[in-house]
Amino acid sequence: MLSTVTIHVRRSDENGADIGYHSYQVPNEPKGTVLQALQYIYSTTDSTLAFRYSCRFKNCGLCAVRVSGRSRLACLTPLRDGLTVAPLNNLTVIRDLVVDRRPLLDKLRNLNLFPLAQGKVDICIGTHRLLQKDVSF
């Protein structure tokens, strides 16, 4: 049987108001991550826990949270006993670990980090064709 570790997750109500940290016991799996611990909590202990993730391959950044006071990707952060997990700073909390990323995404969109091609651009994704005019930035 696997040993367990305790992590402390900051919780909020459905309006984003802070209600403090809740402690959870999770399995201490070899090479376990904070994201795996959050998924374990959601699936076995508390299905009201709100958090985001997408790729699970250390690529998209959607699982970003504060772990013991530092901004980290939950999918990359090794699980250890006593970690605290909280939402990102400087963004409005929607619920639990979910934050409103719109202000950040708006700033990124306005940076114009890549040039948009003029005219008609086709992108093939499998059997689907996507035109630039169909994509809004």
Side-chain angles (χ1 to χ4, degrees), residues 5-22:
V5 296
T6 302
I7 66 169
H8 312 283
V9 180
R10 190 160 195 178
R11 300 297 307 266
S12 63
D13 64 16
E14 58 276 350
N15 298 318
D18 183 22
I19 57 175
Y21 284 91
H22 288 214

Side-chain angles (χ1 to χ4, degrees), residues 7-12 18-24 66-69 82-87 89 96-97:
I7 66 169
H8 312 283
V9 180
R10 190 160 195 178
R11 300 297 307 266
S12 63
D18 183 22
I19 57 175
Y21 284 91
H22 288 214
S23 297
Y24 298 97
R66 280 185 309 134
V67 178
S68 297
L83 292 178
T84 60
V85 183
N89 285 337
D96 296 333
L97 303 175

